[in-house]
Amino acid sequence: MWMLIGLTVGILLGMAVMWVYRRRMRAKRNQRARQELEGNRVSTVTQVLHFAIQSAPEAIAVVDHRQRVVLSNPRAHELGLVHERILNPNAWTVAERVLGDHEPREVRFLPPPRRGNRPVISVAGQVQLLTLMDDRYAVVYATDDSEHVRMEFARRDFVANVSHELKTPVGAISLLVETLMEARDDPDSVEYFGKRLMNETRRMSQMISELISLSKLQGAESLPDPEVLDVDDIVECAFDRCRLAAEAAGIDLVRDSEVGANVMGDKNLLVTCLANLITNAINYSPEATPVSVSRAVRDDTVIIRVTDRGIGIAPEDQKRVFERFFRVDKARSRNTGGTGLGLAIVKHVMANHGGTVSLWSRPGTGSTFTLELPLCVPDATGMPGPRMESPVIPDAKKLREEAREAEG
Ligand code: ADP
């Protein structure tokens, strides 16, 4: 009996000792973790400054008068301001002058080439004395200036293109006026040169208005007042704009049945965009060939296609036709009153509407330009919704096969 009691007390005591031991161990572990955490905490101003500099979005580098980099952050290495503890040579040239006369200066340099989607093509910044009380150190603050440089290139390129393009009609107008004045006694010549003069002025005013809409489109981040638009209405309006030109060129303008879908956007811009594609299809097609417009809804996208059986576009030119002022054949574009801006406008209108434009073309067979726009879905306010079924559209491929058969 006493033995049993002794055994039970022994076991209980053992368990109590184990419990106390475990508790003490756990408390010790927690204390250690707390100490570690406290050790990692930012507690001094030096640490605060260190982290602020290391994580700064700007490149920062401090250099002494012997060109030794005494402090730099990761961004300075990313932008090529510091490489293997040496300051970029251009930055050092400026820093040397700053260390000499204490005057802050701007610095700009081309970093060493790096791989990436948008490589850094320019770094710009400021060099100044670290403190006026000690002229042994200079500090460089720099940022990636590539976007600004790219914009500047594009602006200069644009101005050069526009000046060049406007020079041609202005030159023609001045020549025509001169000739007209010389032929003032000959009514036939006056009429002939007068007509050409009118054509040139019309072309120039069209180019100016297209340039204005292009610059507005490029400047706009998004559409100011997008509306719910009926795709069939857009097709109808674009048709109305192009009917006369098609008749004059003997082109059969055809379209498929209505699709009943909506998109969000600016009606005038979308009609202009589609009319530009139809006008091109007419201008670059031989007489008596059809130009067709088809539409469809696939998933949440509205698709509008303009297909012609015209001269087509060579593969190497297919990307370039969307560039401002690019024409495959300058003379032909000029004869049709083209400005080389139509497809650039289409591309920008699509981008502003969250859509895309793509091209299929084969020289001698024809071209199909495809516009894809996000479908406007009905919301709780009961806005008119789209018919979701995909209508059968006269397929561009089928048209091309027919064209090939006709060619024999
Ligand atoms: P343009 O005012 O010269 O027609 P665009 O920007 O509308 O300018 O088109 C650029 C160029 O793309 C045209 O000059 C022409 O060479 C080519 N192009 C456009 N559409 C077609 C088409 N449907 N068929 C053949 N070539 C085309």
Side-chain angles (χ1 to χ4, degrees):
M1 169 76 177
W2 284 112
M3 246 175 81
L4 199 66
I5 291 170
L7 196 67
T8 315
V9 169
I11 290 169
L12 283 174
L13 264 173
M15 279 170 72
V17 168
M18 282 291 284
W19 182 76
V20 170
Y21 175 76
R22 277 213 193 112
R23 258 184 78 104
R24 290 190 67 181
M25 288 302 284
R26 203 180 307 137
K28 262 191 187 165
R29 264 202 312 272
N30 286 348
Q31 196 186 357
R32 219 179 298 129
R34 222 176 301 129
Q35 275 169 353
E36 263 175 33
L37 201 69
E38 272 166 15
N40 285 341
R41 281 222 177 114
V42 176
S43 52
T44 63
V45 176
T46 315
Q47 282 175 319
V48 171
L49 284 175
H50 171 81
F51 287 118
I53 289 169
Q54 290 304 305
S55 57
E58 263 192 344
I60 302 173
V62 178
V63 64
D64 71 7
H65 59 292
R66 292 203 185 114
Q67 205 185 346
R68 280 184 306 216
V69 174
V70 294
L71 182 128
S72 62
N73 66 354
R75 191 70 179 137
H77 293 261
E78 271 170 34
L79 295 185
L81 176 62
V82 177
H83 182 62
E84 291 176 354
R85 308 203 63 185
I86 302 276
L87 198 71
N88 172 282
N90 294 49
W92 171 242
T93 311
V94 180
E96 253 186 322
R97 293 175 65 197
V98 171
L99 287 166
D101 64 9
H102 305 178
E103 283 298 321
R105 283 185 178 81
E106 290 192 347
V107 62
R108 183 179 292 275
F109 63 88
L110 188 77
R114 266 195 312 138
R115 266 177 278 143
N117 281 353
R118 301 242 340 137
V120 180
I121 56 164
S122 173
V123 176
Q126 157 117 358
V127 188
Q128 62 192 55
L129 274 191
L130 183 64
T131 160
L132 286 172
M133 291 171 297
D134 185 344
D135 63 2
R136 289 174 304 158
Y137 301 100
V139 56
V140 189
Y141 302 101
T143 50
D144 177 358
D145 192 40
S146 311
E147 216 40 51
H148 174 246
V149 170
R150 281 192 193 100
M151 290 273 289
E152 190 52 26
F153 279 153
R155 193 188 64 78
R156 274 194 224 153
D157 188 41
F158 184 69
V159 172
N161 275 343
V162 171
S163 327
H164 176 77
E165 293 295 332
L166 287 177
K167 242 169 63 189
T168 316
V170 168
I173 287 170
S174 98
L175 263 176
L176 285 167
V177 170
E178 236 173 71
T179 324
L180 201 67
M181 301 227 337
E182 277 166 18
R184 64 167 81 84
D185 299 329
D186 175 4
D188 287 345
S189 301
V190 170
E191 195 182 333
Y192 174 74
F193 290 115
K195 265 190 191 151
R196 287 190 55 190
L197 193 59
M198 260 174 61
N199 277 346
E200 287 301 331
T201 40
R202 207 174 293 139
R203 216 169 87 78
M204 201 162 91
S205 83
Q206 192 192 336
M207 189 183 288
I208 290 169
S209 57
E210 285 186 351
L211 276 171
I212 292 170
S213 32
L214 197 57
S215 65
K216 272 192 200 149
L217 283 169
Q218 283 175 316
E221 303 234 310
S222 58
L223 294 166
D225 295 307
E227 294 173 280
V228 179
L229 303 169
D230 178 1
V231 171
D232 302 319
D233 190 27
I234 293 168
V235 172
E236 228 34 57
C237 292
F239 253 62
D240 285 346
R241 280 199 203 172
C242 302
R243 205 163 267 132
L244 272 180
E247 273 170 27
I251 296 281
D252 194 11
L253 209 51
V254 290
R255 62 192 179 292
D256 62 348
S257 49
E258 297 191 344
V259 75
N262 293 320
V263 290
M264 282 295 275
D266 179 303
K267 184 171 170 186
N268 189 39
L269 287 179
L270 289 178
V271 172
T272 302
C273 182
L274 189 55
N276 282 359
L277 294 182
I278 301 174
T279 308
N280 279 349
I282 296 168
N283 286 343
Y284 300 102
S285 293
E287 213 178 309
T289 54
V291 165
S292 67
V293 176
S294 56
R295 49 214 134 155
V297 177
R298 266 190 211 133
D299 302 327
D300 47 7
T301 306
V302 174
I303 303 166
I304 307 174
R305 288 200 177 97
V306 180
T307 302
D308 65 59
R309 294 178 190 171
I311 58 172
I313 304 167
E316 65 272 21
D317 293 326
Q318 289 182 12
K319 266 225 171 86
R320 299 208 61 199
V321 291
F322 295 98
E323 288 172 17
R324 280 184 317 245
F325 298 122
F326 178 83
R327 292 99 150 184
V328 176
D329 179 348
K330 277 213 165 196
R332 181 169 182 144
S333 161
R334 227 180 119 68
N335 287 343
T336 56
T339 57
L341 293 171
L343 290 181
I345 290 178
V346 172
K347 191 177 87 177
H348 284 287
V349 170
M350 283 297 108
N352 288 19
H353 282 77
T356 57
V357 54
S358 55
L359 162 65
W360 179 95
S361 189
R362 187 175 292 153
T365 304
S367 311
T368 296
F369 284 86
T370 305
L371 303 178
E372 293 191 29
L373 286 160
L375 177 73
C376 172
V377 281
D379 66 11
T381 61
M383 217 166 54
R387 277 211 319 260
M388 291 304 289
E389 74 271 19
S390 293
V392 180
I393 56 168
D395 199 354
K397 205 169 136 208
K398 212 170 132 209
L399 278 175
R400 284 194 294 274
E401 274 165 10
E402 278 172 29
R404 246 175 267 136
E405 273 167 29
E407 277 162 15

